Amino acid sequence: MDTYTDAIKNLYDITEIREYFNFSKFAGFLCTNDIMPIPHETVSFKKNTYPLRETIHTGAEEDERVDTEFIYIIESGIATMEKDNIVLDIKASDDIVGFSDLFTFNSSNYSYKVISNAMTVVKFNKAHVVDKLLNTQEGYLYHYSYTLRERQNLEFKERIRREKAESKVILAVHHLLEKLNLLNLKISDLYTSFPITMVTLANYVHLNVNTVSTVLHNLMKLGVVKIDNKQIFVNLEKIEAYIVDIDRHY
């Protein structure tokens, strides 16, 4: 392989991109970088509210519309990314809400709903973000990092689309545990709390709730999960072994 090809491969190496241009560093790049620092504010949202939706007061009436002027980098909390009441993705710490519509200012393809007790975000004007992304080399790499992440999400959703119900659920739970940074937790308890409801999980994997409930109760018999007062708990060691077995037959 020639030097030029090596250089291109290194430039687009996903490991390097994740390490140096992940979204835990993106807010710092926008706020404190010496070139074109962007004004921002920290905002909190309550459970079951929609961060990209605002109420417009028009005299005697109130009109609710999608607010497409801002993006939000999540500091804490969890939100669903939805379209036509279908959960397409789960957004959590260091994810960006509104980035999928970055170059759209008049409409949004998606809605976002807070599903944790609260969600704290850093709020940026979208036009300022676009300006900085287009005029800095680092900005391009952050946008490229986001594109890679979204492509991986699409590949994952396409994979589970072809799986049977049990594999869909177990793969989705494992994927979301990783996304929520819960796989490497050092905990004294055997089971880790899974902060996604059965209804949201069913929507995410495109199965009805009864099917997901049946799958989870079968997994309970194997000790992979347990359910207490509708809350799902996961045995991390057993789910890892289960994933290895699924991958072996994939």
Side-chain angles (χ1 to χ4, degrees):
M1 187 177 293
D2 58 58
T3 303
Y4 175 78
T5 305
D6 276 335
I8 293 296
K9 182 179 179 182
N10 290 334
L11 175 63
Y12 291 94
D13 183 80
I14 184 60
T15 304
E16 296 293 318
I17 292 292
R18 280 176 173 168
E19 181 176 355
Y20 295 107
F21 296 96
N22 57 67
F23 288 109
S24 62
K25 299 178 180 178
F26 187 48
F29 164 72
L30 294 178
C31 300
T32 62
N33 191 277
D34 293 335
I35 302 173
M36 302 169 63
I38 297 176
H40 60 281
E41 63 176 316
T42 301
V43 183
S44 294
F45 297 97
K46 296 179 180 179
K47 188 174 184 176
N48 295 327
T49 57
Y50 292 81
L52 285 190
R53 210 169 276 176
E54 64 175 354
T55 301
I56 308 299
H57 300 280
T58 55
E61 297 182 348
E62 289 188 351
D63 181 34
E64 190 179 70
R65 67 177 174 127
V66 174
D67 177 8
T68 57
E69 295 183 11
F70 302 95
I71 68 165
Y72 306 91
I73 298 180
I74 301 175
E75 287 190 335
S76 63
I78 308 171
T80 54
M81 173 179 168
E82 304 178 2
K83 184 173 183 179
D84 300 327
N85 296 317
I86 297 173
V87 176
L88 301 177
D89 198 8
I90 305 291
K91 299 293 185 182
S93 180
D94 295 332
D95 269 325
I96 301 182
V97 172
F99 211 65
S100 298
D101 305 305
L102 189 61
F103 297 98
T104 304
F105 291 88
N106 296 319
S107 63
S108 176
N109 294 318
Y110 310 104
S111 62
Y112 299 84
K113 180 181 179 181
V114 179
I115 61 173
S116 53
N117 289 331
M119 186 171 77
T120 301
V121 304
V122 184
K123 179 180 178 181
F124 299 90
N125 182 282
K126 185 183 291 187
H128 293 166
V129 173
V130 170
D131 192 30
K132 187 160 187 175
L133 291 179
L134 293 177
N135 287 286
T136 60
Q137 184 177 21
E138 295 94 334
Y140 161 74
L141 290 170
Y142 278 114
H143 188 263
Y144 179 68
S145 176
Y146 177 82
T147 303
L148 288 177
R149 183 188 291 189
E150 290 303 290
R151 187 188 71 185
Q152 290 179 323
N153 282 336
L154 288 173
E155 289 173 348
F156 173 75
K157 293 302 288 284
E158 175 59 24
R159 175 184 175 181
I160 64 172
R161 185 183 67 83
R162 300 191 298 268
E163 296 282 354
K164 295 180 180 178
E166 186 171 285
S167 294
K168 281 180 190 288
V169 172
I170 202 73
L171 285 166
V173 170
H174 184 269
H175 175 75
L176 293 173
L177 284 168
E178 182 176 28
K179 187 178 182 68
L180 298 170
N181 298 313
L182 296 174
L183 278 183
N184 298 318
L185 283 181
K186 293 182 179 179
I187 55 174
S188 57
D189 196 2
L190 186 62
Y191 290 87
T192 298
S193 176
F194 181 65
I196 308 295
T197 67
M198 195 179 301
V199 172
T200 300
L201 179 61
N203 196 332
Y204 181 70
V205 296
H206 308 302
L207 295 171
N208 65 58
V209 177
N210 289 336
T211 300
V212 172
S213 177
T214 299
V215 169
L216 290 175
H217 280 86
N218 288 337
L219 293 172
M220 283 180 63
K221 297 174 183 177
L222 300 174
V224 179
V225 302
K226 71 176 182 179
I227 300 174
D228 184 10
N229 196 26
K230 297 185 179 180
Q231 172 71 52
I232 302 170
F233 297 85
V234 184
N235 183 311
L236 298 183
E237 185 175 319
K238 289 193 175 183
I239 198 172
E240 290 282 8
Y242 206 110
I243 291 295
V244 170
D245 189 59
I246 291 176
D247 288 340
R248 187 183 298 120
H249 296 91
Y250 181 62

